[in-house]
């Protein structure tokens, strides 16, 4: 759809999932680790229209560090004794939990890996440390994301990866959530991402069409 708006040829591909009206997919795979998908809490500081009520709220209490460690140890002992695990973490907004960073650090120190989802609303130094413990997926939500702050965070993470060339840093992917009517804002943001020094060489981005309770035909017309 975006290529078409720029007068570029589309790249159609046949897919068996078209009948399901699926608009975007994500592959999260770690060949040497078992996978644990974990929503560690519903608390979120955003209220996006395309996020279901049962996924986010502003009231759920945060799990303590002891609770998170206890749950992790249960998973490790019962699901993957002696095996490494990739913990794929989402919420809510997991970084709102004041114990999230020490928990992430503890998991990394024990040899496991993290793939973390965040709305990018923390400060740059927070994400500079977090990317040391695993992959980061920062999602842009128009109407809630402060774009300049997000760009500053992305630049800081990219710089952290550049400065740490000889040591491990996780991958950064920026997901631009594009509801109907936000085509130009999406293209403008993509252009700004390309301007961040070293971003293209060290990070990736994805444009994710999103919708609420509307059909696919309405969605295409809306974009």
């Amino acid at each position: 759809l975006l290529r078409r708006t720029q007068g570029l040829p589309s790249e159609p591909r046949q897919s068996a999932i078209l009948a399901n009206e699926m608009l975007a997919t994500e592959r999260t795979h770690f060949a040497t680790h078992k996978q644990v998908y974990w929503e560690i809490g519903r608390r979120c500081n955003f209220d996006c229209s395309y996020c279901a009520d049962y996924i986010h709220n502003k009231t759920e209490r945060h799990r303590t560090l002891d609770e998170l460690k206890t749950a992790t140890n249960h998973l490790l002992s019962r699901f993957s004794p002696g095996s490494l695990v990739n913990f794929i973490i989402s919420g809510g907004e997991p970084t709102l939990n004041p114990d999230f960073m020490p928990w992430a650090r503890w998991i990394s120190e024990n040899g496991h890996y993290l793939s973390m989802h965040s709305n990018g609303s923390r400060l740059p130094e927070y994400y500079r440390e977090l990317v040391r413990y695993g992959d980061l997926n920062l999602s842009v939500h128009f109407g809630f994301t402060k774009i300049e702050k997000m760009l500053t965070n992305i630049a800081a993470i990219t710089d952290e990866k550049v400065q740490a060339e000889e040591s491990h840093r996780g991958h950064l992917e920026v997901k631009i959530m594009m509801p109907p009517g936000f085509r130009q804002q999406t293209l403008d943001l993509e252009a700004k991402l390309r301007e961040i020094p070293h971003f293209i060489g060290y990070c990736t981005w994805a444009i994710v069409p999103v919708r609420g309770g509307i059909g696919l035909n309405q969605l295409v017309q809306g974009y």
Side-chain angles (χ1 to χ4, degrees), residues 124-132 155-157 159-160 169:
E125 290 307 311
Y126 185 94
Y127 291 112
R128 274 185 178 271
E129 179 177 355
L130 199 57
V131 77
R132 300 170 190 173
I157 297 167
D159 181 67
E160 177 71 21
R169 294 293 185 269

Side-chain angles (χ1 to χ4, degrees), residues 3-215:
R3 291 176 64 82
R4 208 176 284 178
T5 65
Q6 300 175 78
L8 299 173
S10 59
E11 298 179 354
R13 291 184 174 88
Q14 296 298 320
S15 173
I17 64 173
L18 290 179
N20 296 326
E21 295 191 343
M22 187 174 294
L23 297 179
T25 61
E26 176 184 359
R27 183 176 71 93
T28 305
H29 181 68
F30 212 114
T32 59
H33 291 51
K34 290 187 174 181
Q35 313 289 315
V36 173
Y37 293 80
W38 193 346
E39 297 172 355
I40 67 166
R42 301 288 185 263
R43 181 81 72 89
C44 187
N45 53 335
F46 288 4
D47 190 18
C48 304
S49 61
Y50 42 82
C51 185
D53 291 340
Y54 61 84
I55 295 176
H56 75 287
N57 62 52
K58 296 181 182 297
T59 58
E60 183 174 290
R61 76 170 182 87
H62 296 304
R63 271 50 180 182
T64 67
L65 182 58
D66 284 343
E67 287 175 320
L68 291 170
K69 285 184 175 182
T70 297
T72 304
N73 284 328
H74 280 312
L75 284 167
L76 293 175
S77 63
R78 298 179 185 182
F79 172 64
S80 60
S83 299
L84 294 177
V85 170
N86 178 32
F87 291 94
I88 302 160
I89 306 300
S90 62
E93 172 52 38
T95 68
L96 291 181
N97 188 323
D99 286 322
F100 183 70
M101 183 72 81
W103 180 58
R105 188 183 305 118
W106 175 76
I107 287 177
S108 177
E109 289 172 349
N110 281 275
H112 301 287
Y113 203 76
L114 285 162
S115 298
M116 300 164 284
H117 292 73
S118 173
N119 61 25
S121 56
R122 299 297 299 253
L123 295 175
E125 290 307 311
Y126 185 94
Y127 291 112
R128 274 185 178 271
E129 179 177 355
L130 199 57
V131 77
R132 300 170 190 173
Y133 308 134
D135 295 335
L136 282 177
N137 289 273
L138 297 187
S139 53
V140 176
H141 303 274
F142 294 109
F144 291 92
T145 297
K146 296 179 179 178
I147 299 300
E148 291 307 316
K149 179 179 181 181
M150 175 66 85
L151 292 170
T152 299
N153 282 337
I154 293 169
I157 297 167
T158 305
D159 181 67
E160 177 71 21
K161 291 167 64 62
V162 172
Q163 297 302 320
E165 184 67 43
E166 299 302 320
S167 59
H168 173 77
R169 294 293 185 269
H171 180 67
L172 170 65
E173 175 154 298
V174 179
K175 296 188 183 303
I176 307 175
M177 313 303 287
M178 186 179 70
F182 281 83
R183 179 180 60 200
Q184 192 57 53
Q185 292 94 322
T186 299
L187 293 171
D188 291 345
L189 178 56
E190 183 183 45
K192 290 180 179 179
L193 289 176
R194 292 174 177 272
E195 293 173 359
I196 296 175
H198 305 291
F199 176 82
I200 291 180
Y202 283 81
C203 313
T204 57
W205 73 97
I207 295 170
V208 184
V210 292
R211 61 187 174 112
I214 62 176

